[in-house]
Structures are given as C-alpha cells and as structure tokens.
Amino acid sequence: MTHVLHRQINHTYPVAASAQGITIRDSTGKDYIDASGGAAVSCLGHSHPDIIAAMRAQLDKFEYAHTSFFTTEVAEELADDLASHAPEGLEHAFFVSGGSEAIEAALKLARQYFVERGEPQRRYLIARRQSYHGITLGALAVGGREWQRRAFAPLLIETHHVSPVYEYRERHADETPEGYGERLARELDIKVAELGGNNVMAFVAETVVGATMGAVPAVPGYFRQVREICDRHGILLILDEVMCGMGRTGTLHACEQEGVSPDILAIAKGLGGGYAPVGAMLLQDKIFKTIAEGSGAFQHSHTYTGHPLACAAALAVQRVMRRDNLLANVRKQGVYLARRLQDRFGNHPFVGNVRGRGLFQGVEMVADRGTKKPFDPQHKLHARIKREAMARGLMVYPMGGTVDGVQGDHVLLAPPFIVNEADVDAIVERLGDAVDAAVASIG
Ligand code: PLP
C-alpha cells in the first residue's frame, strides 16, 4: 500500500535506487539505460560529480533567501550566463521551478506588457493543435492536446488553435516543404485577421514539437514567416523550448536553427538537467523596458522564484556543457542516432517515419506503411512499447494520439548529451527488440 498518488494508480513502479551516467538502477539491482533523459530532462546524465559539488558549495553558503528581500550572486550569474548566450535581445531572465510555470509567466508577462503599453484590448492567444505547453490551467489552455483539455475546458482561458507543422502526414504530395510552410503561415495570417490583429496578444509554439508528436521539426522558412506575421501585427512570439531547448537539438536554443528570435522564450528541463526543479522565461529588452518604465514590477512571483540551489544546479549544468563541448557531441551523436534508427526502422513494416534533430528523435508507428494508417488506439501500442522497453532495461518516452490526439503512436528518444556510439547502438538494439515484441503482442 502506497500513500503516494502516483501518475498511474493501478501500476506498480520499480523503485529507483541509484543512478550513474546514462543508467538508473532499481532496488532489485536491474539497470535501465535512460534513453529519454526521463522526459528530455537529464542532459548530463545522472549523479554528475561537478553538478553535485556546485550544489553542495551553494548549500555550504546558504540555502534560501526570499526574492522580495534579496537577490543572490548565483541567480545574477545564471541570468548573465543565459543572457550572454541567448538569441539577440533576450537579455533578461525570470526564474521558475519548471516548464508549466515558465509558460504561465510568459502568458502573464505578455498580457501585462500590452496593458502597460496602452493596448488592453489585446487578449487573444493563438497556439497550435497537437502541442504541449504544460499542465497548469494557463499552460493547458494554450496546449493543443484535446484529450487532456476536455475535462477542464470550463476552466480554461480562451485560446485559438491552428495547425501544427507535420510534414510526414500533412504536406501534400505536390507541395515543397517551403510551400507547405507558406500554407501554414497563411492559415495563421487568416486566424489573426479573423480575431483582429490588434486584439491578439501572442502566438505560442514549440520550436520542435516534443512529447505530443515525437520530435517534429518545422519546415524551412515556417518560423521566419510566423515571425513576420507577428511583427506585422505587433503580436508577441512566445517559443516554448522547455523540451527541445538548452542544447537538445544541437544548438543551445532550437530557434537558432530557424533564424528567428522570439519575444519570450520558455526553457526548463535541460536548464537544470534534473539536478533541481528549475525553469526560466527569457524576455526581450523592449518588454523589460515597458514594465520597468511603467509599473516597475512584473505582477507575478512564486515563493521559490530564483531558488539558490536551483540556480546553482542550472549554472553548473551550463558551464559543464560548455567546458566539455557537449553541443558538439549532441550534433555528432545525433547524426549517428538518426542513422542507426534509419538502419533499424527505415524498412520496418510498422514504422512510418523517423524524424528529429540532434539527440531528439522520434519514431512514428503505423499499421500500414503505404497508407500511413495508425494502429487501433485500443491496442495502446505506445504503452506496450514502454513496457517491453522497460523489461529490456531501456527507458524511452512513447505516447499515443500522435496524429490527432486519439490515433497514432510514437516513441520519443532524448538520451543524455554524454552518450557515445556504443550507447547509441545499445539503445537502438533494445528499442528494436521492444518494438517488435510490442507489435507481436497485438497479434
Ligand atoms: N512545455 C513543453 C514543450 C513540455 O514538453 C513540457 C513538459 O513536458 C512543459 C511545457 C511543462 O513542463 P513541466 O512538466 O516542467 O511543468
């Protein structure tokens, strides 16, 4: 009998007892390769001595000082560090304890910015279907997972959704990737016109879609057109890089590869690598200045905003990533992982598509490669794959509803940035066996 309200109440979880590098060991002594970094969190692997030492050093100084009384050296250093490596203009950081909090902060900052600019009529949010921005009410409202929103719909703020970029299924055969991106940009433009450009506050999108669709990048030019539409109407662009950011795709921020800079950038998971619950919202100087010269205070804070231990962990993670040149390894091993996945699944009868960037790769399952027909959702293929992978000592992040929130299954891979070729080989081999066993179990 457990007193913990677990995610799945009728499921028995193994007990994590220790962890080192890319491996977690349970209380029976069984090892699991962490090929998903949990949920794309553990970018440096587990129990990294340098991160633990930096956290200890902070604890030896002090543990906590409320931000309404003090700033701290470690929060200042982390903000300097993030600002100096961020896309142009993102010069300020607001610290939170995770991804949902970063999105909540972004939504409120966008609203306060327009109120203080004298544009209080701007109240509409546009986001995309098949997206995830977090589980709290504001983040859930912008998110596009219908099944997760349904029960809470009466509590959610009004948000309008447009199509995601989903080249594998939605680009027409006679369309170039660029042409497809233009069609999606037109759809956004039409939605803005429908709501009135002066009434829209922000467009929110994951730069690379993570858990909901399985590492789906945009097509070339799409985000540049989105940026242009936002600029034309004075709408803020909020990019959610909670999962795909902080090095996961091979550049520190995923938007660097799109050639755009958002007005607000949400980061979390890889920021602290799992060593502490930490996230951040980075914001453009123009937003900062509007509030600094207006009310002088962002009307939003948490008790644990800028917690010194969380900041110490995040700062150490960022420094180790640079010191050990891990982004180069993400790029190198990302190419290798994509190739090995293609080798194993490129001709697999039940895999329709392998996609992703860097160490962020997705494998989409289909019942029929020719028609791209998904498996019957009743089979819960994604849950079977997870079970078979765990049985083989492999952590991956499968999910259902890939296509439309109900149909489709995919597996998300997000291994730590420290993996080598032998690790990647072991991951792909175990995943291949798990996928075959899961499909066979359907019969
Ligand atoms: N945004 C994205 C893109 C995410 O993937 C997640 C979590 O998976 C969140 C926001 C929410 O983050 P958290 O679970 O830390 O609240």
Side-chain angles (χ1 to χ4, degrees), residues 85-88 90 205-208 218 223-224 227 237-241 244-267 282 284 357:
H85 296 95
E88 202 190 326
L90 291 169
E206 291 169 80
T207 315
V208 178
F223 272 111
R224 272 196 296 277
R227 180 72 268 184
L237 175 60
I238 300 175
L239 289 183
D240 180 347
E241 298 202 0
C244 65
M246 302 319 286
R248 177 62 48 205
T249 64
T251 47
L252 186 62
H253 302 292
C255 59
E256 291 170 40
Q257 294 174 55
E258 304 300 336
V260 298
S261 192
D263 298 292
I264 301 177
L265 183 65
I267 53 176
L282 305 184
Q284 285 280 344
R357 277 201 187 146

Coordinates of all heavy atoms in Angstrom, one line a residue, residues 85-88 90 205-208 218 223-224 227 237-241 244-267 282 284 357:
H85 N 24.3 34.1 -23.8 CA 24.2 33.0 -24.8 C 22.9 32.9 -25.5 O 22.6 32.0 -26.3 CB 24.6 31.7 -24.2 CG 26.0 31.6 -23.7 ND1 26.3 31.9 -22.4 CD2 27.2 31.4 -24.3 CE1 27.6 31.8 -22.2 NE2 28.2 31.5 -23.4
A86 N 22.0 33.9 -25.3 CA 20.7 33.8 -25.8 C 20.6 34.5 -27.2 O 21.5 35.3 -27.5 CB 19.7 34.5 -24.9
P87 N 19.6 34.2 -28.0 CA 19.3 34.9 -29.2 C 19.2 36.4 -28.9 O 18.8 36.8 -27.8 CB 18.0 34.4 -29.7 CG 17.8 33.0 -29.1 CD 18.5 33.1 -27.8
E88 N 19.5 37.2 -30.0 CA 19.6 38.6 -29.9 C 18.4 39.2 -29.1 O 17.2 38.9 -29.4 CB 19.6 39.2 -31.3 CG 20.2 40.5 -31.4 CD 19.9 41.1 -32.8 OE1 19.9 40.3 -33.8 OE2 19.7 42.3 -32.9
L90 N 17.3 38.9 -26.1 CA 16.7 38.2 -24.9 C 17.7 38.4 -23.7 O 18.5 37.6 -23.5 CB 16.5 36.7 -25.2 CG 15.4 36.4 -26.2 CD1 15.5 34.9 -26.6 CD2 14.0 36.7 -25.6
A205 N 4.3 28.6 -29.6 CA 4.6 27.3 -30.3 C 5.9 26.7 -29.8 O 6.8 27.4 -29.3 CB 4.8 27.6 -31.8
E206 N 5.9 25.4 -29.8 CA 7.1 24.6 -29.5 C 8.0 24.7 -30.8 O 7.5 24.4 -31.9 CB 6.8 23.2 -29.2 CG 6.1 22.9 -28.0 CD 5.6 21.4 -27.9 OE1 6.4 20.5 -27.6 OE2 4.5 21.2 -28.2
T207 N 9.2 25.1 -30.7 CA 10.1 25.2 -31.9 C 10.2 23.8 -32.6 O 10.1 23.7 -33.8 CB 11.5 25.8 -31.5 OG1 11.3 26.9 -30.6 CG2 12.2 26.2 -32.7
V208 N 10.5 22.8 -31.8 CA 10.4 21.4 -32.3 C 9.4 20.8 -31.4 O 9.5 20.8 -30.2 CB 11.7 20.7 -32.2 CG1 11.6 19.3 -32.7 CG2 12.8 21.4 -33.0
A218 N 10.0 22.0 -37.6 CA 9.3 22.8 -38.6 C 9.9 22.6 -40.0 O 11.0 22.1 -40.1 CB 9.3 24.2 -38.2
F223 N 9.1 29.3 -39.5 CA 9.2 30.2 -38.3 C 9.5 31.7 -38.7 O 9.1 32.6 -38.1 CB 10.1 29.7 -37.3 CG 9.4 28.8 -36.3 CD1 9.7 27.4 -36.3 CD2 8.4 29.3 -35.4 CE1 9.0 26.6 -35.4 CE2 7.8 28.4 -34.5 CZ 8.0 27.1 -34.5
R224 N 10.3 31.8 -39.8 CA 10.6 33.2 -40.3 C 9.3 33.9 -40.7 O 9.1 35.1 -40.5 CB 11.6 33.2 -41.4 CG 13.0 33.2 -40.9 CD 14.1 33.6 -41.9 NE 14.1 32.6 -43.0 CZ 14.8 31.5 -42.9 NH1 15.5 31.2 -41.8 NH2 14.8 30.6 -43.9
R227 N 7.3 34.8 -37.6 CA 7.9 36.0 -37.0 C 7.4 37.2 -37.8 O 7.1 38.2 -37.2 CB 9.4 35.8 -37.1 CG 10.3 36.9 -36.5 CD 10.3 37.0 -35.0 NE 9.3 37.9 -34.6 CZ 9.1 38.3 -33.3 NH1 9.9 37.8 -32.4 NH2 8.2 39.1 -32.9
L237 N 5.8 36.8 -30.1 CA 6.1 35.4 -30.4 C 6.7 34.7 -29.1 O 7.7 35.1 -28.7 CB 7.0 35.3 -31.6 CG 7.5 33.9 -31.9 CD1 6.4 32.9 -32.3 CD2 8.5 33.9 -33.1
I238 N 5.9 33.8 -28.6 CA 6.4 33.0 -27.4 C 6.8 31.6 -27.9 O 6.0 30.9 -28.4 CB 5.3 32.9 -26.3 CG1 4.8 34.2 -25.9 CG2 5.8 32.0 -25.2 CD1 3.7 34.2 -24.9
L239 N 8.1 31.3 -27.8 CA 8.6 30.0 -28.2 C 8.8 29.1 -26.9 O 9.4 29.6 -26.0 CB 9.9 30.0 -29.0 CG 9.7 30.6 -30.4 CD1 11.0 30.5 -31.2 CD2 8.6 29.8 -31.2
D240 N 8.2 27.9 -27.0 CA 8.3 27.0 -25.8 C 9.4 26.0 -26.2 O 9.3 25.1 -27.0 CB 7.0 26.3 -25.7 CG 7.0 25.3 -24.5 OD1 8.1 25.0 -24.0 OD2 5.9 24.8 -24.1
E241 N 10.6 26.2 -25.5 CA 11.7 25.3 -25.7 C 12.0 24.6 -24.4 O 13.1 24.2 -24.1 CB 12.9 26.1 -26.2 CG 12.6 26.7 -27.6 CD 13.9 26.9 -28.4 OE1 15.0 26.7 -28.0 OE2 13.7 27.4 -29.6
C244 N 12.7 21.1 -26.1 CA 13.6 21.0 -27.2 C 14.8 21.9 -27.1 O 15.7 21.9 -27.9 CB 12.9 21.3 -28.6 SG 12.2 23.0 -28.7
G245 N 14.8 22.7 -26.0 CA 15.9 23.7 -25.9 C 17.1 23.3 -25.1 O 17.2 22.1 -24.8
M246 N 17.9 24.2 -24.8 CA 19.1 24.0 -23.9 C 20.0 22.9 -24.4 O 20.6 22.1 -23.7 CB 18.7 23.8 -22.5 CG 17.9 24.9 -21.9 SD 18.5 26.6 -22.4 CE 20.0 26.8 -21.4
G247 N 20.2 22.9 -25.8 CA 21.2 22.0 -26.4 C 20.7 20.8 -27.0 O 21.3 20.1 -27.8
R248 N 19.4 20.4 -26.7 CA 18.9 19.1 -27.1 C 18.9 18.9 -28.6 O 19.2 17.7 -29.0 CB 17.4 19.1 -26.6 CG 16.5 18.0 -26.9 CD 16.9 16.6 -26.4 NE 17.3 16.4 -25.0 CZ 18.1 15.3 -24.6 NH1 18.5 14.5 -25.5 NH2 18.4 15.2 -23.4
T249 N 18.8 19.9 -29.4 CA 18.7 19.7 -30.9 C 20.1 20.0 -31.5 O 20.2 20.0 -32.7 CB 17.7 20.6 -31.5 OG1 18.0 22.0 -31.3 CG2 16.3 20.4 -31.0
G250 N 21.1 20.3 -30.7 CA 22.5 20.5 -31.2 C 22.9 22.0 -31.2 O 24.1 22.3 -31.4
T251 N 22.0 22.9 -31.0 CA 22.3 24.3 -30.7 C 21.7 24.6 -29.3 O 20.7 24.0 -28.9 CB 21.8 25.3 -31.7 OG1 20.4 25.0 -32.0 CG2 22.5 25.2 -33.1
L252 N 22.2 25.6 -28.6 CA 21.7 25.9 -27.3 C 20.2 26.1 -27.3 O 19.5 25.5 -26.5 CB 22.4 27.1 -26.7 CG 22.1 27.3 -25.2 CD1 22.5 26.1 -24.3 CD2 22.7 28.6 -24.7
H253 N 19.8 26.9 -28.2 CA 18.3 27.1 -28.4 C 17.9 26.6 -29.8 O 18.6 26.9 -30.8 CB 18.0 28.6 -28.3 CG 18.4 29.2 -27.0 ND1 17.9 28.8 -25.8 CD2 19.5 30.0 -26.6 CE1 18.4 29.5 -24.8 NE2 19.4 30.2 -25.3
A254 N 16.8 25.9 -29.8 CA 16.4 25.3 -31.1 C 16.1 26.4 -32.1 O 16.3 26.2 -33.3 CB 15.1 24.4 -30.9
C255 N 15.6 27.6 -31.7 CA 15.2 28.6 -32.6 C 16.4 29.2 -33.4 O 16.2 29.8 -34.4 CB 14.5 29.8 -31.9 SG 15.4 30.5 -30.6
E256 N 17.7 29.0 -32.9 CA 18.8 29.4 -33.6 C 18.8 28.8 -35.0 O 19.3 29.4 -36.0 CB 20.1 29.0 -32.9 CG 20.4 29.7 -31.6 CD 21.5 29.1 -30.8 OE1 22.6 28.7 -31.4 OE2 21.4 29.0 -29.6
Q257 N 18.3 27.5 -35.1 CA 18.3 26.8 -36.4 C 17.2 27.3 -37.3 O 17.2 27.0 -38.5 CB 18.2 25.3 -36.2 CG 19.5 24.8 -35.5 CD 19.4 23.3 -35.1 OE1 19.1 22.4 -35.9 NE2 19.6 23.0 -33.8
E258 N 16.3 28.1 -36.8 CA 15.2 28.6 -37.6 C 15.4 30.0 -38.0 O 14.7 30.6 -38.8 CB 13.9 28.6 -36.8 CG 13.5 27.2 -36.2 CD 13.3 26.2 -37.3 OE1 13.0 26.6 -38.5 OE2 13.5 25.0 -37.0
G259 N 16.5 30.6 -37.5 CA 16.9 32.0 -37.8 C 15.9 33.0 -37.3 O 15.7 34.1 -37.8
V260 N 15.2 32.7 -36.2 CA 14.3 33.7 -35.5 C 14.6 33.8 -34.1 O 15.2 32.9 -33.4 CB 12.8 33.3 -35.7 CG1 12.4 33.3 -37.1 CG2 12.5 32.0 -34.9
S261 N 14.3 35.0 -33.5 CA 14.4 35.2 -32.1 C 13.0 35.5 -31.6 O 12.3 36.4 -32.2 CB 15.3 36.5 -32.0 OG 15.7 36.6 -30.7
P262 N 12.6 34.8 -30.6 CA 11.2 35.1 -30.0 C 11.2 36.3 -29.1 O 12.3 36.9 -28.8 CB 11.0 33.9 -29.2 CG 12.3 33.4 -28.7 CD 13.3 33.8 -29.8
D263 N 10.1 36.8 -28.8 CA 10.0 37.9 -27.8 C 10.1 37.3 -26.4 O 10.6 38.0 -25.5 CB 8.6 38.6 -27.9 CG 8.5 39.2 -29.3 OD1 9.2 40.2 -29.6 OD2 7.7 38.7 -30.1
I264 N 9.6 36.1 -26.2 CA 9.7 35.4 -24.9 C 10.1 34.0 -25.2 O 9.5 33.3 -26.1 CB 8.4 35.5 -24.1 CG1 8.0 36.9 -23.9 CG2 8.5 34.7 -22.8 CD1 6.6 37.1 -23.2
L265 N 11.0 33.4 -24.5 CA 11.5 32.1 -24.6 C 11.3 31.3 -23.3 O 11.9 31.8 -22.3 CB 12.9 32.1 -25.1 CG 13.6 30.7 -25.4 CD1 12.9 30.1 -26.6 CD2 15.1 30.9 -25.7
A266 N 10.6 30.2 -23.3 CA 10.4 29.4 -22.1 C 11.4 28.2 -22.2 O 11.5 27.5 -23.2 CB 9.0 28.9 -22.0
I267 N 12.2 28.1 -21.1 CA 13.2 26.9 -21.0 C 13.0 26.3 -19.7 O 12.5 26.9 -18.7 CB 14.6 27.4 -21.2 CG1 15.0 28.6 -20.2 CG2 14.9 27.9 -22.6 CD1 16.4 29.0 -20.3
L282 N 12.9 33.8 -20.7 CA 13.8 34.8 -21.1 C 13.0 35.8 -21.9 O 12.1 35.5 -22.7 CB 14.9 34.3 -22.0 CG 15.7 33.1 -21.4 CD1 16.9 32.7 -22.4 CD2 16.3 33.5 -20.1
Q284 N 12.6 39.7 -24.1 CA 13.3 40.8 -24.9 C 13.3 42.1 -24.0 O 12.4 42.4 -23.3 CB 12.4 41.1 -26.1 CG 12.6 40.1 -27.2 CD 13.9 40.2 -28.0 OE1 14.5 41.3 -28.0 NE2 14.3 39.2 -28.8
R357 N 15.9 16.2 -34.5 CA 17.1 17.0 -34.6 C 18.0 16.7 -33.4 O 17.5 16.7 -32.3 CB 16.7 18.5 -34.5 CG 16.3 19.0 -35.8 CD 16.4 20.4 -36.0 NE 15.8 20.8 -37.3 CZ 15.1 21.9 -37.5 NH1 15.0 22.8 -36.6 NH2 14.6 22.1 -38.7

